[in-house]
Amino acid sequence: MNDGIAPAAEAPPARILGLLRELGELKRIRSAGREGSIADRLFASAWSALCGGQALEEAWRATTASALAATRLGDIDRTVLAEVGVTGGEAEAILSRAVDEAAEEVEPALRAALRDAPRIPAGTPAPDFVPRLARQPRAGVTCPGRPRLLLEPPENHAEHCLMVAVYGVLLCPFYGARPETVYLASLAHHLHNAIIPDSGFAGEVLLGEHLEPAFARATEKALQELPPALADGVREARAILPDASTPEGRAFHAADTLDRVLQIEQHLRAGKASMSYVLNDMALVHEGPVKPFQDRLLAVVGLAA
């Protein structure tokens, strides 16, 4: 079937999947003293920054750069570095190196824009829909007439929306899309789930003619929590969501589809990991002064691979 999209615009190079997989793990990285995953908190800080007046062009750069840095540093951010006495240029150099290392497959002009990204400002409370989306689990895999496939632990809607926003920014160069529009639409594409629990495809089919009106009313209730100008911007950005007829629509739907599929792949991939891969390829017992002892131990008890 030809939908009018040039073949070159249908998909980014497959080599970027490695980076997208790494970013997806931010849904599962947590640390002491902080609630939720890194993706949870980036979603909250993104909305906080926008509500506080950060320019959209700065916001997408700041959030995407923070996500890239976290693939290498985990939860070691400016706040943690400052607590241990690493500040100023030294802290910025660490974060820049992390972004550079993670962004090897990112389009060069975008990589340069992310290297000099501004900080995500703090201080403005996030809208009420943010914690509600963080508490709202995704439905898993559902299909009419078939039992639900639910893989634990489920992601939540804050994590999914954040990841689609970051993926979308990274995919924009391949589609010639505007990152500010894709970023904002992605952050806001599940606002209805702040009120409506996620029942998946199967539940949506059963809602029938009530589906779209219910989603629209729930979305508007969430938008009322935003400053009026920002709410108008979100409505405008969300105009790309219904189809893939624009560069922005293609970038969004590519990001949304890849995140949904890679989320399931993560569960399946972990289940297929072998002890040989963990010990040899991933160096679970890594080089160091006690490695000979550790290797002999594993051999004797029968855990060597």
Side-chain angles (χ1 to χ4, degrees):
M1 177 179 177
N2 186 348
D3 61 2
I5 301 173
E10 288 179 357
R15 65 177 182 272
I16 202 170
L17 284 180
L19 173 58
L20 302 188
R21 288 185 178 102
E22 289 188 74
L23 286 162
E25 298 294 1
L26 301 185
K27 300 174 186 177
R28 293 167 277 275
I29 298 176
R30 292 167 169 78
S31 62
R34 293 182 172 184
E35 291 294 326
S37 67
I38 292 177
D40 265 335
R41 284 179 271 111
L42 283 176
F43 181 73
S45 63
W47 279 110
S48 173
L50 289 170
C51 288
Q54 186 177 38
L56 187 53
E57 191 273 339
E58 291 187 354
W60 68 256
R61 290 170 59 213
T63 299
T64 306
S66 294
L68 287 169
T71 67
R72 297 297 182 271
L73 293 170
D75 245 339
I76 300 177
D77 56 13
R78 288 182 179 89
T79 300
V80 173
L81 290 171
E83 287 178 355
V84 294
V86 182
T87 59
E90 292 179 333
E92 295 306 316
I94 291 171
L95 294 167
S96 293
R97 287 198 300 272
V99 171
D100 281 341
E101 184 177 316
E104 185 175 340
E105 296 297 341
V106 174
E107 188 270 336
L110 177 57
R111 186 166 65 241
L114 295 174
R115 183 181 299 117
D116 300 322
R119 298 185 181 196
I120 303 176
T124 302
D128 288 345
F129 64 71
V130 167
R132 291 201 300 272
L133 288 172
R135 293 192 298 268
Q136 185 67 261
R138 299 270 287 160
V141 183
T142 72
C143 182
R146 295 181 181 274
R148 182 188 304 250
L149 175 61
L150 187 60
L151 300 172
E152 294 285 349
E155 63 179 328
N156 63 51
H157 280 274
E159 293 168 330
H160 170 65
C161 289
L162 182 281
M163 205 52 57
V164 173
V166 172
Y167 282 12
V169 167
L170 298 179
L171 296 178
C172 276
F174 302 110
Y175 296 99
R178 296 167 295 165
E180 62 274 12
T181 300
V182 176
Y183 174 79
L184 190 56
S186 299
L187 284 180
H189 78 286
H190 274 285
L191 289 182
H192 57 276
N193 287 119
I195 295 175
I196 302 174
D198 189 358
S199 60
F201 179 41
E204 291 175 359
V205 169
L206 288 173
L207 284 172
E209 64 182 13
H210 300 288
L211 176 69
E212 293 302 329
F215 279 19
R217 288 191 290 270
T219 297
E220 277 302 313
K221 286 187 177 182
L223 288 173
Q224 289 170 14
E225 300 175 16
L226 298 175
L230 178 57
D232 288 342
V234 171
R235 291 186 186 96
E236 182 179 352
R238 281 175 52 93
I240 72 170
L241 299 180
D243 55 56
S245 63
T246 64
E248 290 73 31
R250 291 193 280 277
F252 164 76
H253 284 289
D256 182 52
T257 301
L258 289 171
D259 182 61
R260 284 156 55 196
V261 174
L262 291 176
Q263 169 69 17
I264 303 303
E265 184 207 52
Q266 184 271 337
H267 289 279
L268 302 179
R269 185 161 43 95
K272 293 177 181 177
S274 67
M275 187 60 72
S276 176
Y277 173 76
V278 171
L279 287 175
N280 298 323
D281 295 71
M282 295 299 291
L284 179 63
V285 178
H286 50 76
E287 292 297 332
V290 299
K291 189 174 188 303
F293 168 80
Q294 293 169 321
D295 288 342
R296 291 193 300 272
L297 167 70
L298 295 177
V300 170
V301 299
L303 288 176

